Amino acid sequence: MRDRRANRSLPPYLLLALMVLVVLGPARLEAAAAERPRIGLVLGGGGARGVAHVGVLRFLEEMRIPVDCVAGTSMGSIIGGLYASGMTPSDMDKTLKRIDWPEVFNDGPPRADLPWRTKQEQRRLLTDAAIGVQGGKIQLPQGLLQGQNLLLLLQELALPAAGIHDFDRLKVPYRAVATDIATGNPVVLGSGDLAKAMRASMSIPSALVPVKLDDKLLVDGGVSDNLPIDVVRKLCQPDVIIAVDVGSPLAPTNELTSVLSITNQLTTILTVRNVEQQVKTLGNEDVLIVPDLKDLSSTDFDRSPEAVIIGYDAAQTKRKELSRLSLSAADYQAYIAALPSIPDTDHPVIDFIQIKNNTRLSDQTIASQLRIQPGDRLDPQELNRNLNIIYGMGDFQAVDYSLVKENGKTGLIVEAKERYIGTDTLDLGLSFGASLRGESLFSLTAAYTMGQMNSLGGEWRSIAQVGGNIALSTDFYQPLDADQTYFIDPFASYTAYNLTLQNLSQYRVYRTNIGVAVGRNLERWGRLSLGLRYGGGHNDLRIGESDENEGDFDEGGYSIRWGMDTLDNINFPTSGYYGDINFYDSRTALGASNDFSTLSLEAAKAFTWNKASLIPRLRLAGRLSGELGIQDLFPLGGFLNLSGYQTNQLAGQYAALGELIAMYRLDNASAAFTIPIYAGGSLEIGGVWQDVNEIDLASLIPAGSLFLGADTPLGPFYLSGGWAKGGNTSLYILLGRQF
């Protein structure tokens, strides 16, 4: 009987076919995978509204929908770039929640990390906005913000892909879209530094300065192509396109009530029109997702968690259309496994450092602040802080970095770019105040600075102030080493101001000084200096009877000063401390009219709980020896300076002031592009005395205030009522530094 299995033997041609399948199995599987539709993902621009893309990506991941290429504009380019570099939607969601958005859309380091000289100048000038002066011509900034912090954030987030400069070699082929501001044409970025490409795509016109790449000046891609469907088609010839439109709708007529709203509407019109043109090209197989973002604006970054949820829900409404693109669990894992691998460059060891520097500062001066040496492992957050500290030294358009591989070694390339407006700048400030008691204050301040005059960062600054008080000053600040630890600062000044004594006599004090200070900067938190000055002046009696205080005087003496300042905000501090100790010794041997010595002390500390802050503050001043002329008396009076009294209404040989300032922030502290608004008040006690024997608790004057304050771009604005013992009350309307 024949074996039945013999009948099951395969014919030769079938056996040969089986062998071919075994040998060519993997290739056959790849071909099968290739038979699925190729999917291109398009992520549109919309500022904070673009965070909804994260929710869409999360849903696509849950549905096991592969993405073969991605292109994005503005915020869509950032989300798309991070996705293409391997960041998961879950990681994006976590990252968005930890980002300090107000800090991102600010320039430079936190105030505590600014150089001491910059902090001191903030006390004299109202705004941080500088106007360039080149060849005698005014040069205005190209945007309100340089975007320094935004670029550093993007570099940190994109660090895993820092060594990849061909965007086709990312996990998912990627393109960012920007606009050439010279031609108005879209510019598709497919190579280079990933972080800079994303930053260029999000260069919001007038808000962020344009990015210069390959001799092109690039602004936000939304102006020319806010939903780059055409770019994705060229990138990977997809069979299906998933497009996500998060653009802002046109505002109705009743909301177009200001210059700002009209300007914003014009930009929106351009965006809406180019989106409409792109949407018309979608076919029946393509999927358009439009999240219902309602009142969420392009600046509402603090509502990022809400935007993620809205994006996810919008994708869910397209479940039916998207389900046909879903892979099995096994096929999706195979798709993930087949994606290109990206070497881990999160914390690489730095083998060499290169400085690219087109400023007048020496490479050594810049390198000294990096705090990283060859052989160190890169800490991206620490590097970002140090780069920002360099940026805070001034006169920089941007200070950023990139990683390169050369001969198997990892290099850190730090690039410092000179400001577009140049190193010579003009700063303007306006201050005014008025009270119901008839007091009025007004001053206009202009500061002209010639920066980076040499490789160590020498700076010549001249300041003029006109108004109730007149001040003219000039100084040349010269660091003596690359670390800018030691300095010399020669100066000259002229001032004219009013001073009222307790007997109600009022003087106009005129004084001129020349001198020099030498010292040591204590990192960025403090300074120790020794100063020498010589000069003279005149006391002109305006109100009252003539006395011995009227007439000329000469000055000559030396000072020793120790200052500390880590406050986060000069106007409305919520953290940090401030301290100043100043000893001055007037000597006839140095040209003074008489011998005397004084000591003054000021200290403050800010504490914050959520939106509430407390700021205890103490000021003490007095003579140690000799007798002071009226030009050297210590004044009190004015808002937060024995509120209720007029400015400098009290003056004496000794002065003391203790106060507790409380304030509560009324607006959303986590929101970007806002003007902080505070409600607060103060409890104050202090006084002035002519003799040390007069000082006792009974002579102290209690005072206080209530205020509404706003930290505006023009400086701090206050509406306040003040009270002091003795029936002194004042209502203040103030624009200017008070702290």
Side-chain angles (χ1 to χ4, degrees):
M1 188 175 182
R2 297 176 59 183
D3 192 339
R4 294 174 64 91
R5 291 175 294 180
N7 294 328
R8 297 180 181 178
S9 62
L10 296 175
Y13 68 89
L14 289 178
L15 182 61
L16 179 61
L18 180 61
M19 292 174 64
V20 171
L21 285 175
V22 171
V23 174
L24 301 179
R28 183 72 182 108
L29 289 174
E30 288 184 13
E35 289 174 359
R36 68 168 176 80
R38 293 182 60 79
I39 300 171
L41 180 64
V42 182
L43 304 179
R49 296 166 62 91
V51 177
H53 294 314
V54 177
V56 174
L57 288 173
R58 195 176 75 190
F59 184 79
L60 296 181
E61 186 179 68
E62 291 178 2
M63 291 287 292
R64 300 189 300 274
I65 295 174
V67 174
D68 295 289
C69 65
V70 58
T73 296
S74 194
M75 193 64 182
S77 76
I78 294 176
I79 302 299
L82 297 178
Y83 179 73
S85 64
M87 183 178 285
T88 66
S90 177
D91 288 339
M92 290 185 201
D93 200 7
K94 294 176 183 176
T95 299
L96 288 167
K97 291 176 180 177
R98 70 169 177 82
I99 290 176
D100 184 350
W101 291 108
E103 194 63 34
V104 169
F105 292 104
N106 192 13
D107 277 331
R111 186 179 180 276
D113 286 338
L114 288 173
W116 173 266
R117 179 170 170 85
T118 303
K119 295 175 184 176
Q120 290 302 102
E121 290 307 314
Q122 287 181 344
R123 297 180 175 274
R124 293 199 282 177
L125 299 172
L126 286 180
T127 69
D128 297 325
I131 300 171
V133 181
Q134 297 186 40
K137 297 182 179 180
I138 296 295
Q139 183 70 56
L140 297 177
Q142 295 175 310
L144 296 176
L145 298 172
Q146 301 289 345
Q148 169 73 7
N149 287 349
L150 174 61
L151 177 57
L152 291 182
L153 172 66
L154 295 177
Q155 286 178 319
E156 179 186 341
L157 297 179
L159 193 58
I164 298 176
H165 299 284
D166 181 356
F167 299 166
D168 286 341
R169 294 179 55 234
L170 296 170
K171 280 188 171 295
V172 179
Y174 162 77
R175 296 292 185 269
V177 180
T179 301
D180 185 344
I181 192 62
T183 64
N185 296 326
V187 176
V188 180
L189 303 172
S191 62
D193 185 282
L194 178 61
K196 291 178 182 176
M198 294 188 291
R199 165 66 178 87
S201 181
M202 199 177 171
S203 297
I204 306 168
S206 72
L208 293 168
V209 299
V211 174
K212 191 173 184 180
L213 291 177
D214 299 328
D215 296 326
K216 290 186 174 68
L217 203 59
L218 304 181
V219 299
D220 197 295
V223 177
S224 58
D225 195 356
N226 200 51
L227 194 65
I229 295 170
D230 55 335
V231 175
V232 158
R233 283 208 171 92
K234 294 178 182 178
L235 178 57
C236 66
Q237 294 80 48
D239 302 297
V240 177
I241 289 177
I242 301 174
V244 187
D245 178 17
V246 295
S248 300
L250 292 170
T253 303
N254 62 336
E255 295 181 9
L256 302 175
T257 57
S258 66
V259 173
L260 184 61
S261 63
I262 295 293
T263 303
N264 186 64
Q265 184 83 337
L266 292 174
T267 304
T268 305
I269 289 173
L270 293 175
T271 302
V272 170
R273 295 291 181 263
N274 69 61
V275 168
E276 288 176 347
Q277 292 174 3
Q278 290 288 334
V279 169
K280 289 178 181 178
T281 69
L282 293 175
N284 294 330
E285 298 298 313
D286 301 323
V287 181
L288 176 64
I289 300 173
V290 185
D292 185 10
L293 294 162
K294 300 176 182 176
D295 63 335
L296 198 149
S297 75
S298 60
T299 60
D300 287 336
F301 287 94
D302 57 304
R303 298 172 63 183
S304 292
E306 180 182 346
V308 172
I309 295 172
I310 293 173
Y312 183 89
D313 292 342
Q316 272 195 317
T317 64
K318 301 290 183 175
R319 178 184 290 273
K320 183 178 180 181
E321 295 94 322
L322 293 171
S323 61
R324 60 186 173 84
L325 305 175
S326 180
L327 300 180
S328 67
D331 287 346
Y332 190 71
Q333 287 302 314
Y335 155 77
I336 296 295
L339 293 175
S341 62
I342 295 180
D344 184 12
T345 55
D346 277 348
H347 298 83
V349 174
I350 300 301
D351 298 304
F352 65 91
I353 299 172
Q354 181 181 346
I355 307 294
K356 291 185 177 181
N357 174 25
N358 75 338
T359 74
R360 297 176 189 173
L361 289 179
S362 68
D363 293 353
Q364 185 182 358
T365 299
I366 294 173
S368 66
Q369 302 296 328
L370 286 177
R371 306 292 195 267
I372 186 172
Q373 300 292 331
D376 293 346
R377 188 169 293 279
L378 179 66
D379 183 337
Q381 293 184 356
E382 183 66 20
L383 176 62
N384 281 358
R385 184 191 178 196
N386 293 333
L387 291 173
N388 244 348
I389 287 172
I390 297 171
Y391 179 87
M393 293 164 61
D395 303 324
F396 293 105
Q397 182 80 11
V399 183
D400 54 52
Y401 71 95
S402 58
L403 295 178
V404 297
K405 281 283 189 180
E406 293 183 4
N407 301 320
K409 296 183 180 294
T410 301
L412 174 67
I413 310 298
V414 175
E415 187 172 6
K417 300 177 183 177
E418 186 178 277
R419 271 196 300 196
Y420 169 78
I421 62 174
T423 57
D424 294 359
T425 58
L426 178 66
D427 297 82
L428 300 174
L430 173 67
S431 178
F432 74 85
S435 73
L436 292 184
R437 299 180 62 193
E439 180 188 20
S440 62
L441 302 169
F442 171 82
S443 68
L444 178 65
T445 304
Y448 184 76
T449 304
M450 300 174 67
Q452 293 187 9
M453 297 191 68
N454 50 53
S455 63
L456 295 178
E459 183 179 271
W460 186 7
R461 176 171 291 159
S462 300
I463 299 177
Q465 177 182 304
V466 296
N469 297 332
I470 296 175
L472 300 171
S473 68
T474 187
D475 76 299
F476 186 84
Y477 174 79
Q478 179 59 61
L480 300 177
D481 59 311
D483 291 339
Q484 298 191 342
T485 300
Y486 299 95
F487 68 90
I488 185 170
D489 189 8
F491 63 87
S493 66
Y494 168 82
T495 56
Y497 58 94
N498 295 329
L499 189 66
T500 304
L501 303 185
Q502 286 178 289
N503 63 4
L504 301 183
S505 297
Q506 188 179 88
Y507 291 83
R508 184 72 169 175
V509 181
Y510 303 89
R511 61 198 313 173
T512 302
N513 284 119
I514 60 172
V516 63
V518 296
R520 174 186 172 95
N521 291 312
L522 305 172
E523 296 293 336
R524 290 161 298 280
W525 59 267
R527 171 179 286 185
L528 180 64
S529 64
L530 172 65
L532 182 69
R533 80 178 193 215
Y534 173 81
H538 181 79
N539 296 321
D540 185 13
L541 181 66
R542 296 290 182 88
I543 300 175
E545 297 182 0
S546 180
D547 59 25
E548 69 278 5
N549 292 312
E550 189 176 8
D552 297 331
F553 60 87
D554 295 317
E555 293 186 295
Y558 68 92
S559 63
I560 301 173
R561 189 168 188 176
W562 182 32
M564 302 169 288
D565 188 351
T566 67
L567 295 176
D568 64 332
N569 187 296
I570 186 63
N571 303 322
F572 301 93
T574 60
S575 66
Y577 56 84
Y578 175 81
D580 185 79
I581 302 174
N582 188 17
F583 169 80
Y584 179 70
D585 194 32
S586 173
R587 296 287 105 186
T588 55
L590 296 175
S593 299
N594 59 316
D595 293 329
F596 67 87
S597 59
T598 63
L599 181 66
S600 62
L601 165 69
E602 183 175 358
K605 179 77 170 72
F607 303 89
T608 295
W609 300 267
N610 295 321
K611 290 186 173 184
S613 299
L614 283 177
I615 308 159
R617 184 184 177 199
L618 177 67
R619 291 177 58 197
L620 300 171
R623 60 181 172 89
L624 301 177
S625 65
E627 193 75 18
L628 306 185
I630 65 167
Q631 68 275 4
D632 296 304
L633 296 178
F634 301 102
L636 287 181
F639 178 54
L640 299 180
N641 197 30
L642 278 190
S643 302
Y645 284 96
Q646 296 184 42
T647 302
N648 295 344
Q649 186 177 344
L650 306 176
Q653 305 268 335
Y654 303 89
L657 175 68
E659 63 186 339
L660 181 65
I661 303 170
M663 58 186 190
Y664 185 85
R665 185 161 179 175
L666 300 177
D667 65 305
N668 186 355
S670 62
F673 305 105
T674 61
I675 294 177
I677 301 173
Y678 300 86
S682 65
L683 296 175
E684 310 162 30
I685 189 167
V688 299
W689 304 271
Q690 302 306 320
D691 192 273
V692 69
N693 296 322
E694 299 174 358
I695 303 174
D696 57 37
L697 294 177
S699 62
L700 291 173
I701 303 170
S705 71
L706 294 173
F707 63 83
L708 284 174
D711 202 5
T712 77
L714 296 177
F717 176 80
Y718 298 90
L719 178 62
S720 172
W723 165 88
K725 183 180 179 181
N728 293 284
T729 58
S730 292
L731 180 65
Y732 303 99
I733 302 175
L734 302 167
L735 177 69
R737 308 279 188 227
Q738 300 300 321
F739 187 78

